[in-house]
Amino acid sequence: MLKKIISFTLITFCFSIAYSQKKKSPTAPGIDEKVEALLQKMTLDEKIGQLNQYTGDWEATGPVTNSGNKLEDVKQGKIGSMLNVKGAKHTRALQEAAMQSRLKIPLLFGLDVIHGYRVTFPIPLAEAASWDLEAIEKSARIAGTEAAASGIHWTFAPMVDIARDPRWGRVMEGAGEDTYLGSLIAKARVKGFQGKGLGNLDAVMACAKHFAAYGAAIGGRDYNSVDMGLRTLWEVYLPPFKAAVDAGAATFMNSFNDINGIPATGNSYIQRDILKGKWGFKGFVVSDWGSIGEMIQHGYVKDNYEAAEVAINAGSDMDMESRSYINNLAKLVKEGKVKEEVINDAVRRILVKKFELGLFDDPYRFSNEQREKKTLNTPEFLEAARDVARKSIVLLKNEKQVLPLSKDLKSVALIGPLVKAEKDMQGFWSIDWGKEDHLVSLYEGMQNQAGKTRLLYAKGCEISDTSKAGFAEAVSTAQQADVVVMAMGEKYDMSGEAKSRANIHLPGNQEELIKAIQATGKPVVVLLMAGRPLVFNWTADNVPAIVYTWWLGSQAGNAIADVLYGNYNPSGKLPMTFPRSEGQIPIYYNYFNTGRPAKDDNDLNYRSGYIDMQKSPRYAFGYGLSYTTFEYGNLKLSDTNISGNKPVTVSFTLKNTGNVAGEEVAQLYLQDMVARPVRPVKELKDFKKVMLKPGESTTITFTIDKEKLSFYNENLEWITQPGEFKIMIGSSSDAVKLDGSFTLVD
Ligand code: BGC
């Protein structure tokens, strides 16, 4: 086959270290000079202090290295940043201590503002299901605005790790399995957090994490090793990080895992060659919690001294909570193992951000209690949270039109362990506000909209226990109602960091309870509230209506009631494939075809499948229903050949053929039919979310240029190859409604 390399070579395996490039930076005028002037005044110890980050005494998310007096360390300039300190009052008090240090270098305050600060938004995986980039950006914008008003300068978000394994608890923090969708969402979130730019009082620094490939932990077990070919790394796992750099992300966080035997924290190829070299990233890299010291457990270094040497030389600028830098860097410099210029480069990167944030002009500018009070938890922010929450909901099944519920129903039974849940619907990585916290439960949300309908309630069972003591009451409650709505799922700490599960079935005996209620013969709606794709085959086969609500945050109950009553027509589409069984994992839509593809689930004769289970997923990537129906037609291509730089445009009509207004996410997939190396059976290349009134139709156009046809070859060159490409347009990755093809001529 004629191969034509049209683009540049992405990887030069040069080990030249990017720290020496003191090139022109895009910083605001004068900042570089100010940084240099300050650097001149700093002792080596003061420089190392800037690279040191400790947790405050707020909420630890890892093992705390609790020795010494942190306040005293701040006064002596031994700490450059603190995490887990929040609130204008607390941040101000610590900043006052920093102002007692010799050079008065302000502290940076970082926090995991993952899905909201005071107002909790849906978990990121849920928001990804909205496929609504504007709403996602807005949610990050509000989170950033609230956090900045509360003294926070820096969020450890977005997490942009691609994840193809729902056993991994941290899937809840990301945008799911797809690189294209994930890259757009990474960009939207970075833009949202950083707003109009650092220096504005409502902007926080974003932090793209976890660099890199953390989502590919073997067996879905958190912190585990990653064994991955470089082509997959470049093609599937790195693009969302590149998108974050392009969107101006101020910082990166590295990851706990090793990649092919080299811990990411000590990985010069990842941090120096790719991030700071090839991509020209000018911000700084913080380690993950203790990950520098953890290289000892990895078996990569023998002690903290060696850990500090390896990490700083590999491009990890700031040490989060391992104390390796503060305890060892000075000696390493004196002994010539680390060049002072390496330290200077890391310090410069951090000081630039402190200047950009305006902290040298006024270290307290983010710590203003009045502004904090005015900004947090406003009705406008709560309304935005409700809006994105309902957009994140995915309707999986709706037979016999059980949904939407009629307002004329006499009674609805609300059954299940999550009907009155608050914290559990808020989800992992939400910020604890103690007594001030209020989350609209499903029960409350339903009360707000039920009108004359009587709401009955029975818990039925706990989330994960095995007792059936509550079943009888639940069944009798169901028998008294016209319709039953069941709230089932995971507890808030069943998905999240270190929350990997080998068994991702609905926990406890919840599915048994569903069977008992379904047996009453009443119309049943099952709501699934979870931080990951779950397995629930009996429910999927037998219950007429299933709604995946994920964990939706502060306005969960209102948003779900909006959907149940049809005040909002669901439009979410799954950002991850749902398996039928853990045995199918990893499972994702953009796989290679193999030499013996099964044509369907029954095609088992020496075919690639399972003899004891279908190979198809339970629900495919991109899947989600609406209360209305859509018709796709009239596919037109501007040309059947692409040559030169002229793109092909594909257009088609989309019509709302049902009785209510609704939104559809029309998806474009491509397949490169013959290529070396082989290409996936389909890849998402574009999508459009459109709202149509009943009977209304619109023309949707996608543009396909060579960039969309490019991929990495075995030498990691970004290329296209001439030949035939198949176009597939549909409502999900497994529901192709229109197809066609074109040829790339040169
Ligand atoms: C997590 C990070 C988080 C950090 C700080 C670590 O354990 O992996 O994602 O930002 O803690 O809380």
PDB file of all heavy atoms in Angstrom, residues 2-10 676 706 710-722 746:
ATOM      1  N   LEU A   2       0.415   2.161  -0.792  1.00  0.00           N
ATOM      2  CA  LEU A   2       1.166   3.411  -0.847  1.00  0.00           C
ATOM      3  C   LEU A   2       0.945   4.195   0.437  1.00  0.00           C
ATOM      4  O   LEU A   2      -0.171   4.468   0.836  1.00  0.00           O
ATOM      5  CB  LEU A   2       0.648   4.219  -2.045  1.00  0.00           C
ATOM      6  CG  LEU A   2       1.275   5.596  -2.223  1.00  0.00           C
ATOM      7  CD1 LEU A   2       2.709   5.454  -2.729  1.00  0.00           C
ATOM      8  CD2 LEU A   2       0.432   6.419  -3.168  1.00  0.00           C
ATOM      9  N   LYS A   3       1.999   4.485   1.059  1.00  0.00           N
ATOM     10  CA  LYS A   3       1.829   5.241   2.300  1.00  0.00           C
ATOM     11  C   LYS A   3       2.336   6.646   2.098  1.00  0.00           C
ATOM     12  O   LYS A   3       3.377   6.845   1.515  1.00  0.00           O
ATOM     13  CB  LYS A   3       2.657   4.613   3.413  1.00  0.00           C
ATOM     14  CG  LYS A   3       2.107   3.316   3.885  1.00  0.00           C
ATOM     15  CD  LYS A   3       2.834   2.928   5.135  1.00  0.00           C
ATOM     16  CE  LYS A   3       2.422   1.529   5.523  1.00  0.00           C
ATOM     17  NZ  LYS A   3       3.131   1.065   6.671  1.00  0.00           N
ATOM     18  N   LYS A   4       1.599   7.554   2.563  1.00  0.00           N
ATOM     19  CA  LYS A   4       2.090   8.906   2.420  1.00  0.00           C
ATOM     20  C   LYS A   4       2.069   9.606   3.770  1.00  0.00           C
ATOM     21  O   LYS A   4       1.014   9.736   4.395  1.00  0.00           O
ATOM     22  CB  LYS A   4       1.206   9.663   1.431  1.00  0.00           C
ATOM     23  CG  LYS A   4       1.848  10.956   1.037  1.00  0.00           C
ATOM     24  CD  LYS A   4       1.194  11.525  -0.168  1.00  0.00           C
ATOM     25  CE  LYS A   4       1.763  12.893  -0.448  1.00  0.00           C
ATOM     26  NZ  LYS A   4       0.893  13.686  -1.256  1.00  0.00           N
ATOM     27  N   ILE A   5       3.199  10.007   4.177  1.00  0.00           N
ATOM     28  CA  ILE A   5       3.272  10.692   5.464  1.00  0.00           C
ATOM     29  C   ILE A   5       3.075  12.167   5.208  1.00  0.00           C
ATOM     30  O   ILE A   5       3.861  12.785   4.517  1.00  0.00           O
ATOM     31  CB  ILE A   5       4.628  10.431   6.117  1.00  0.00           C
ATOM     32  CG1 ILE A   5       4.745   8.927   6.379  1.00  0.00           C
ATOM     33  CG2 ILE A   5       4.791  11.233   7.385  1.00  0.00           C
ATOM     34  CD1 ILE A   5       6.108   8.493   6.782  1.00  0.00           C
ATOM     35  N   ILE A   6       1.982  12.683   5.692  1.00  0.00           N
ATOM     36  CA  ILE A   6       1.707  14.086   5.366  1.00  0.00           C
ATOM     37  C   ILE A   6       2.085  15.031   6.495  1.00  0.00           C
ATOM     38  O   ILE A   6       1.959  16.218   6.367  1.00  0.00           O
ATOM     39  CB  ILE A   6       0.226  14.317   5.028  1.00  0.00           C
ATOM     40  CG1 ILE A   6      -0.633  13.956   6.224  1.00  0.00           C
ATOM     41  CG2 ILE A   6      -0.192  13.600   3.792  1.00  0.00           C
ATOM     42  CD1 ILE A   6      -1.976  14.612   6.185  1.00  0.00           C
ATOM     43  N   SER A   7       2.432  14.489   7.579  1.00  0.00           N
ATOM     44  CA  SER A   7       2.662  15.440   8.652  1.00  0.00           C
ATOM     45  C   SER A   7       4.006  15.217   9.307  1.00  0.00           C
ATOM     46  O   SER A   7       4.860  14.533   8.786  1.00  0.00           O
ATOM     47  CB  SER A   7       1.511  15.342   9.631  1.00  0.00           C
ATOM     48  OG  SER A   7       1.550  16.435  10.478  1.00  0.00           O
ATOM     49  N   PHE A   8       4.130  15.791  10.474  1.00  0.00           N
ATOM     50  CA  PHE A   8       5.436  15.835  11.100  1.00  0.00           C
ATOM     51  C   PHE A   8       5.668  14.653  12.037  1.00  0.00           C
ATOM     52  O   PHE A   8       4.748  13.996  12.457  1.00  0.00           O
ATOM     53  CB  PHE A   8       5.542  17.121  11.904  1.00  0.00           C
ATOM     54  CG  PHE A   8       4.367  17.307  12.803  1.00  0.00           C
ATOM     55  CD1 PHE A   8       4.354  16.768  14.078  1.00  0.00           C
ATOM     56  CD2 PHE A   8       3.247  18.001  12.358  1.00  0.00           C
ATOM     57  CE1 PHE A   8       3.266  16.935  14.892  1.00  0.00           C
ATOM     58  CE2 PHE A   8       2.158  18.151  13.179  1.00  0.00           C
ATOM     59  CZ  PHE A   8       2.159  17.621  14.443  1.00  0.00           C
ATOM     60  N   THR A   9       6.878  14.430  12.347  1.00  0.00           N
ATOM     61  CA  THR A   9       7.197  13.382  13.296  1.00  0.00           C
ATOM     62  C   THR A   9       6.980  13.925  14.695  1.00  0.00           C
ATOM     63  O   THR A   9       7.497  14.956  15.049  1.00  0.00           O
ATOM     64  CB  THR A   9       8.672  13.016  13.146  1.00  0.00           C
ATOM     65  OG1 THR A   9       8.831  12.629  11.800  1.00  0.00           O
ATOM     66  CG2 THR A   9       9.049  11.875  14.046  1.00  0.00           C
ATOM     67  N   LEU A  10       6.185  13.226  15.478  1.00  0.00           N
ATOM     68  CA  LEU A  10       5.840  13.784  16.782  1.00  0.00           C
ATOM     69  C   LEU A  10       6.843  13.492  17.865  1.00  0.00           C
ATOM     70  O   LEU A  10       6.974  14.219  18.821  1.00  0.00           O
ATOM     71  CB  LEU A  10       4.481  13.262  17.202  1.00  0.00           C
ATOM     72  CG  LEU A  10       3.392  14.247  16.883  1.00  0.00           C
ATOM     73  CD1 LEU A  10       2.050  13.674  17.228  1.00  0.00           C
ATOM     74  CD2 LEU A  10       3.586  15.557  17.617  1.00  0.00           C
ATOM     75  N   ARG A 676      -2.729   0.666   7.698  1.00  0.00           N
ATOM     76  CA  ARG A 676      -1.615   0.015   8.391  1.00  0.00           C
ATOM     77  C   ARG A 676      -0.973   1.021   9.318  1.00  0.00           C
ATOM     78  O   ARG A 676      -0.439   2.001   8.813  1.00  0.00           O
ATOM     79  CB  ARG A 676      -0.586  -0.496   7.371  1.00  0.00           C
ATOM     80  CG  ARG A 676      -1.156  -1.518   6.464  1.00  0.00           C
ATOM     81  CD  ARG A 676      -0.145  -1.955   5.448  1.00  0.00           C
ATOM     82  NE  ARG A 676      -0.816  -2.752   4.423  1.00  0.00           N
ATOM     83  CZ  ARG A 676      -0.205  -3.175   3.335  1.00  0.00           C
ATOM     84  NH1 ARG A 676       1.066  -2.886   3.119  1.00  0.00           N
ATOM     85  NH2 ARG A 676      -0.861  -3.882   2.445  1.00  0.00           N
ATOM     86  N   LYS A 706      -8.731  16.471   6.583  1.00  0.00           N
ATOM     87  CA  LYS A 706      -7.704  15.429   6.707  1.00  0.00           C
ATOM     88  C   LYS A 706      -7.325  15.158   8.161  1.00  0.00           C
ATOM     89  O   LYS A 706      -6.947  14.045   8.508  1.00  0.00           O
ATOM     90  CB  LYS A 706      -6.467  15.817   5.901  1.00  0.00           C
ATOM     91  CG  LYS A 706      -6.587  15.401   4.458  1.00  0.00           C
ATOM     92  CD  LYS A 706      -5.241  15.486   3.775  1.00  0.00           C
ATOM     93  CE  LYS A 706      -5.324  14.890   2.384  1.00  0.00           C
ATOM     94  NZ  LYS A 706      -4.162  15.234   1.577  1.00  0.00           N
ATOM     95  N   SER A 710      -6.593  11.442  10.210  1.00  0.00           N
ATOM     96  CA  SER A 710      -5.197  11.152  10.546  1.00  0.00           C
ATOM     97  C   SER A 710      -5.087  10.248  11.762  1.00  0.00           C
ATOM     98  O   SER A 710      -5.995  10.169  12.592  1.00  0.00           O
ATOM     99  CB  SER A 710      -4.458  12.464  10.837  1.00  0.00           C
ATOM    100  OG  SER A 710      -4.546  13.312   9.719  1.00  0.00           O
ATOM    101  N   PHE A 711      -3.973   9.575  11.853  1.00  0.00           N
ATOM    102  CA  PHE A 711      -3.713   8.689  12.993  1.00  0.00           C
ATOM    103  C   PHE A 711      -2.215   8.476  13.124  1.00  0.00           C
ATOM    104  O   PHE A 711      -1.433   8.897  12.266  1.00  0.00           O
ATOM    105  CB  PHE A 711      -4.455   7.355  12.812  1.00  0.00           C
ATOM    106  CG  PHE A 711      -4.052   6.576  11.588  1.00  0.00           C
ATOM    107  CD1 PHE A 711      -3.062   5.600  11.669  1.00  0.00           C
ATOM    108  CD2 PHE A 711      -4.648   6.814  10.350  1.00  0.00           C
ATOM    109  CE1 PHE A 711      -2.678   4.879  10.539  1.00  0.00           C
ATOM    110  CE2 PHE A 711      -4.269   6.101   9.225  1.00  0.00           C
ATOM    111  CZ  PHE A 711      -3.273   5.133   9.318  1.00  0.00           C
ATOM    112  N   TYR A 712      -1.825   7.812  14.211  1.00  0.00           N
ATOM    113  CA  TYR A 712      -0.404   7.531  14.423  1.00  0.00           C
ATOM    114  C   TYR A 712      -0.035   6.190  13.807  1.00  0.00           C
ATOM    115  O   TYR A 712      -0.712   5.196  14.049  1.00  0.00           O
ATOM    116  CB  TYR A 712      -0.080   7.497  15.918  1.00  0.00           C
ATOM    117  CG  TYR A 712      -0.133   8.865  16.539  1.00  0.00           C
ATOM    118  CD1 TYR A 712      -1.229   9.255  17.296  1.00  0.00           C
ATOM    119  CD2 TYR A 712       0.901   9.771  16.344  1.00  0.00           C
ATOM    120  CE1 TYR A 712      -1.291  10.518  17.850  1.00  0.00           C
ATOM    121  CE2 TYR A 712       0.848  11.043  16.890  1.00  0.00           C
ATOM    122  CZ  TYR A 712      -0.249  11.407  17.640  1.00  0.00           C
ATOM    123  OH  TYR A 712      -0.308  12.663  18.170  1.00  0.00           O
ATOM    124  N   ASN A 713       1.020   6.201  13.038  1.00  0.00           N
ATOM    125  CA  ASN A 713       1.503   4.911  12.527  1.00  0.00           C
ATOM    126  C   ASN A 713       2.460   4.288  13.542  1.00  0.00           C
ATOM    127  O   ASN A 713       2.639   4.814  14.649  1.00  0.00           O
ATOM    128  CB  ASN A 713       2.126   5.068  11.142  1.00  0.00           C
ATOM    129  CG  ASN A 713       3.441   5.833  11.189  1.00  0.00           C
ATOM    130  OD1 ASN A 713       3.945   6.155  12.262  1.00  0.00           O
ATOM    131  ND2 ASN A 713       3.983   6.132  10.026  1.00  0.00           N
ATOM    132  N   GLU A 714       3.077   3.187  13.174  1.00  0.00           N
ATOM    133  CA  GLU A 714       3.906   2.459  14.145  1.00  0.00           C
ATOM    134  C   GLU A 714       5.160   3.230  14.547  1.00  0.00           C
ATOM    135  O   GLU A 714       5.766   2.931  15.563  1.00  0.00           O
ATOM    136  CB  GLU A 714       4.245   1.046  13.636  1.00  0.00           C
ATOM    137  CG  GLU A 714       4.935   0.966  12.290  1.00  0.00           C
ATOM    138  CD  GLU A 714       3.949   0.964  11.102  1.00  0.00           C
ATOM    139  OE1 GLU A 714       2.968   1.737  11.124  1.00  0.00           O
ATOM    140  OE2 GLU A 714       4.184   0.213  10.149  1.00  0.00           O
ATOM    141  N   ASN A 715       5.510   4.262  13.753  1.00  0.00           N
ATOM    142  CA  ASN A 715       6.652   5.104  14.143  1.00  0.00           C
ATOM    143  C   ASN A 715       6.199   6.355  14.875  1.00  0.00           C
ATOM    144  O   ASN A 715       6.964   7.301  15.034  1.00  0.00           O
ATOM    145  CB  ASN A 715       7.452   5.525  12.903  1.00  0.00           C
ATOM    146  CG  ASN A 715       7.982   4.329  12.160  1.00  0.00           C
ATOM    147  OD1 ASN A 715       8.425   3.359  12.799  1.00  0.00           O
ATOM    148  ND2 ASN A 715       7.906   4.347  10.847  1.00  0.00           N
ATOM    149  N   LEU A 716       4.947   6.359  15.267  1.00  0.00           N
ATOM    150  CA  LEU A 716       4.348   7.501  15.965  1.00  0.00           C
ATOM    151  C   LEU A 716       4.381   8.765  15.119  1.00  0.00           C
ATOM    152  O   LEU A 716       4.554   9.870  15.626  1.00  0.00           O
ATOM    153  CB  LEU A 716       5.017   7.731  17.318  1.00  0.00           C
ATOM    154  CG  LEU A 716       4.943   6.545  18.275  1.00  0.00           C
ATOM    155  CD1 LEU A 716       5.672   6.842  19.574  1.00  0.00           C
ATOM    156  CD2 LEU A 716       3.489   6.174  18.583  1.00  0.00           C
ATOM    157  N   GLU A 717       4.205   8.576  13.838  1.00  0.00           N
ATOM    158  CA  GLU A 717       4.054   9.725  12.939  1.00  0.00           C
ATOM    159  C   GLU A 717       2.567   9.920  12.688  1.00  0.00           C
ATOM    160  O   GLU A 717       1.814   8.948  12.557  1.00  0.00           O
ATOM    161  CB  GLU A 717       4.777   9.459  11.618  1.00  0.00           C
ATOM    162  CG  GLU A 717       6.266   9.331  11.787  1.00  0.00           C
ATOM    163  CD  GLU A 717       6.920   8.465  10.710  1.00  0.00           C
ATOM    164  OE1 GLU A 717       6.242   7.573  10.146  1.00  0.00           O
ATOM    165  OE2 GLU A 717       8.098   8.684  10.443  1.00  0.00           O
ATOM    166  N   TRP A 718       2.155  11.166  12.629  1.00  0.00           N
ATOM    167  CA  TRP A 718       0.745  11.534  12.449  1.00  0.00           C
ATOM    168  C   TRP A 718       0.467  11.579  10.958  1.00  0.00           C
ATOM    169  O   TRP A 718       0.928  12.481  10.258  1.00  0.00           O
ATOM    170  CB  TRP A 718       0.530  12.890  13.113  1.00  0.00           C
ATOM    171  CG  TRP A 718      -0.848  13.447  13.181  1.00  0.00           C
ATOM    172  CD1 TRP A 718      -1.247  14.651  12.660  1.00  0.00           C
ATOM    173  CD2 TRP A 718      -1.980  12.893  13.848  1.00  0.00           C
ATOM    174  NE1 TRP A 718      -2.566  14.865  12.964  1.00  0.00           N
ATOM    175  CE2 TRP A 718      -3.048  13.804  13.693  1.00  0.00           C
ATOM    176  CE3 TRP A 718      -2.214  11.709  14.547  1.00  0.00           C
ATOM    177  CZ2 TRP A 718      -4.314  13.574  14.212  1.00  0.00           C
ATOM    178  CZ3 TRP A 718      -3.478  11.483  15.074  1.00  0.00           C
ATOM    179  CH2 TRP A 718      -4.508  12.404  14.900  1.00  0.00           C
ATOM    180  N   ILE A 719      -0.253  10.606  10.455  1.00  0.00           N
ATOM    181  CA  ILE A 719      -0.345  10.441   8.999  1.00  0.00           C
ATOM    182  C   ILE A 719      -1.790  10.218   8.543  1.00  0.00           C
ATOM    183  O   ILE A 719      -2.680   9.947   9.355  1.00  0.00           O
ATOM    184  CB  ILE A 719       0.467   9.211   8.526  1.00  0.00           C
ATOM    185  CG1 ILE A 719      -0.131   7.925   9.132  1.00  0.00           C
ATOM    186  CG2 ILE A 719       1.933   9.331   8.889  1.00  0.00           C
ATOM    187  CD1 ILE A 719       0.269   6.674   8.395  1.00  0.00           C
ATOM    188  N   THR A 720      -1.980  10.310   7.234  1.00  0.00           N
ATOM    189  CA  THR A 720      -3.191   9.751   6.631  1.00  0.00           C
ATOM    190  C   THR A 720      -2.744   8.748   5.585  1.00  0.00           C
ATOM    191  O   THR A 720      -1.608   8.821   5.095  1.00  0.00           O
ATOM    192  CB  THR A 720      -4.044  10.814   5.901  1.00  0.00           C
ATOM    193  OG1 THR A 720      -3.208  11.501   4.977  1.00  0.00           O
ATOM    194  CG2 THR A 720      -4.684  11.776   6.858  1.00  0.00           C
ATOM    195  N   GLN A 721      -3.613   7.840   5.250  1.00  0.00           N
ATOM    196  CA  GLN A 721      -3.331   6.905   4.163  1.00  0.00           C
ATOM    197  C   GLN A 721      -4.495   6.949   3.189  1.00  0.00           C
ATOM    198  O   GLN A 721      -5.656   6.931   3.621  1.00  0.00           O
ATOM    199  CB  GLN A 721      -3.170   5.483   4.713  1.00  0.00           C
ATOM    200  CG  GLN A 721      -1.885   5.302   5.496  1.00  0.00           C
ATOM    201  CD  GLN A 721      -1.773   3.942   6.146  1.00  0.00           C
ATOM    202  OE1 GLN A 721      -2.721   3.163   6.168  1.00  0.00           O
ATOM    203  NE2 GLN A 721      -0.615   3.650   6.678  1.00  0.00           N
ATOM    204  N   PRO A 722      -4.215   7.010   1.888  1.00  0.00           N
ATOM    205  CA  PRO A 722      -5.290   7.057   0.900  1.00  0.00           C
ATOM    206  C   PRO A 722      -6.141   5.793   0.978  1.00  0.00           C
ATOM    207  O   PRO A 722      -5.677   4.750   1.428  1.00  0.00           O
ATOM    208  CB  PRO A 722      -4.551   7.102  -0.440  1.00  0.00           C
ATOM    209  CG  PRO A 722      -3.159   7.456  -0.132  1.00  0.00           C
ATOM    210  CD  PRO A 722      -2.888   7.028   1.265  1.00  0.00           C
ATOM    211  N   ASP A 746      -5.367  11.484  -2.029  1.00  0.00           N
ATOM    212  CA  ASP A 746      -3.932  11.661  -1.753  1.00  0.00           C
ATOM    213  C   ASP A 746      -3.752  12.347  -0.422  1.00  0.00           C
ATOM    214  O   ASP A 746      -4.719  12.732   0.223  1.00  0.00           O
ATOM    215  CB  ASP A 746      -3.266  12.479  -2.862  1.00  0.00           C
ATOM    216  CG  ASP A 746      -3.993  13.799  -3.105  1.00  0.00           C
ATOM    217  OD1 ASP A 746      -4.589  14.361  -2.156  1.00  0.00           O
ATOM    218  OD2 ASP A 746      -3.973  14.271  -4.242  1.00  0.00           O
TER     219      ASP A 746
END
